[in-house]
Amino acid sequence: MTPDALLPALTAHARDTAHAAATSTPPAPCPCGAATLAHRPDATVVRHAGTVAKAHAPDADADGLALRLTLAARIPGVLLPPLAPTSSPTHLHGRLVTRWPYGSPVDPDDPDAAPWEAAATLLARLHRTPPPVPGTPVMRGPEKAARAIALLRTTAPHHPATAPVLRAWATLPAWARGEAAMPDATTLCHGDLHLGQLVRHPAPDGPWLLIDVDDLGVGVPAWDLARPAAWYACGLLPPDEWDRFLTAYRAAGGPAVPQDGDPWPALDAPARALTAQTAVRALTKASEAGRPLDEVEHSLIDACARMS
C-alpha cells in the first residue's frame, strides 16, 4: 500500500482503538481531536483523542520491534509505555503498527524552554538500566547512519558537497559506520536522541518521557549524546545549552562520559558520525528540492570538510 493510501487506514485504526472501550459507535463526525503527526515514507503517525498509532518503516523487523515494545513497557518513568505492552505489533496493509498514549511534545517555537536537563537525566537512567529483556537487539544508530550514506551515494553522487561528507565518513572507526560490532554490547541506548523524542505524559504537564523505540537496543551510550555534541561542535547549539545537557547527564550518573574532565575522547567518533549523517539529510533534502544549501546546511558540510 502506498503511503497516501496508508494514512486513512491508519487514521481509522487509531479512531477504532481510541473508542474500543466505548459502549457505542462514536458519532460521525467524531467530536474527538484528531491529527496527522507525521507522514513520511519511513513512518506515519496519527492521533485520535488520547491514542497515537504509528505505522513503522516498511522494512521494520517484527521480532525486533516486539522486543523493543517489551523494553518500553518494562522501564517505566524513562520510556513511554505502549498502550498494549504485552501484544505484538499489529499488521496493517503490509506495515507494522503500534499504539501509544498521547504525550505533549517539546514546543519547537520556544527554544528557551527546551528540556535539556530532562533529556540528559532520562538518558542517564536508561544507560544505567540493565537490559530487562533476554535477546535485547542491538542499537540501530550506526546502521541508520550507514543507510543514509548509502542513499547519498545513489541520490547525489556528483553534488560538490558529497565528497567532503564521504571523506569524513571514511575517517570513522568501523563500528561507527555499521561495519563492525560495537565495542559495548551491554548498555541500553535509545539510538536516535533529539528533542523531538520527548513528550510529557500524561499531557499536558506530566513528566518528560522518551519516545520512539525503533532504534532502541544495546550499544555505545555515547551515541545518544552525539547529536547535541555534534550540534555544539558545529556551532548550532549554544555552549550554555550543551553545558546544561552534559552537566545534567553527569549529575545523573550517566556512564557514557567520565564524571569530570574532557568528555570528547568518548564523544568524538559518535559526534563525527552524527555530523556526517545530519549533513547527508540536509544535502539530500536540498538536492531533492533543487535548491542551494542554506547557512545551517553549509555549516554541516564545512564541519565534514574539517573532519576529513
Side-chain angles (χ1 to χ4, degrees):
M1 170 168 282
T2 65
D4 286 341
L6 174 66
L7 181 58
L10 188 65
T11 300
H13 179 76
R15 181 196 63 219
D16 293 344
T17 301
H19 291 286
T23 57
S24 61
T25 303
C30 179
C32 300
T36 299
L37 305 181
H39 188 37
R40 308 185 305 268
D42 65 328
T44 298
V45 184
V46 300
R47 173 195 178 190
H48 190 95
T51 296
V52 172
K54 177 177 181 178
H56 296 259
D59 61 351
D61 173 64
D63 292 338
L65 183 55
L67 285 170
R68 292 178 168 101
L69 287 175
T70 303
L71 282 168
R74 293 188 182 179
I75 312 178
V78 176
L79 296 167
L80 181 72
L83 283 178
T86 60
S87 66
S88 299
T90 299
H91 291 264
L92 181 67
H93 296 295
R95 301 284 284 272
L96 295 173
V97 173
T98 54
R99 298 173 297 277
W100 307 84
Y102 175 74
S104 299
V106 175
D107 185 353
D109 297 323
D110 189 7
D112 292 336
W116 288 113
E117 290 86 355
T121 301
L122 289 169
L123 280 184
R125 292 175 59 190
L126 180 68
H127 294 165
R128 291 168 51 199
T129 301
V133 177
T136 296
V138 173
M139 183 264 289
R140 295 179 63 239
E143 175 191 337
K144 289 183 67 174
R147 289 188 181 188
I149 292 293
L151 180 64
L152 178 66
R153 296 182 192 275
T154 59
T155 58
H158 305 300
H159 194 287
T162 297
V165 175
L166 296 181
R167 287 196 299 268
W169 180 254
T171 68
L172 297 173
W175 73 263
R177 299 196 308 268
E179 297 175 359
M182 280 182 276
D184 186 335
T186 61
T187 302
L188 195 56
C189 307
H190 182 274
D192 188 26
L193 190 280
H194 53 81
L195 290 178
Q197 306 288 38
L198 285 93
V199 298
R200 286 189 180 275
H201 178 73
D205 300 317
W208 290 106
L209 296 172
L210 295 170
I211 63 170
D212 191 354
V213 299
D214 291 73
D215 303 318
L216 184 69
V218 293
V220 176
W223 193 274
D224 284 343
L225 282 68
R227 185 173 273 108
W231 291 345
Y232 166 67
C234 294
L236 303 177
L237 182 67
D240 63 322
E241 295 187 20
W242 165 247
D243 184 65
R244 287 167 50 199
F245 177 77
L246 181 62
T247 299
Y249 181 82
R250 284 172 156 168
V257 295
Q259 285 299 295
D260 52 36
D262 186 4
W264 285 98
L267 295 175
D268 180 67
R272 287 190 288 131
L274 265 297
T275 300
Q277 181 184 13
T278 308
V280 167
R281 290 174 176 170
L283 180 52
T284 53
K285 285 182 179 180
S287 297
E288 290 171 356
R291 60 169 176 80
L293 298 173
D294 62 26
E295 183 178 356
V296 170
E297 292 163 343
H298 268 298
S299 70
L300 293 166
I301 304 302
D302 291 343
C304 288
R306 293 193 299 271
M307 285 161 48
S308 60

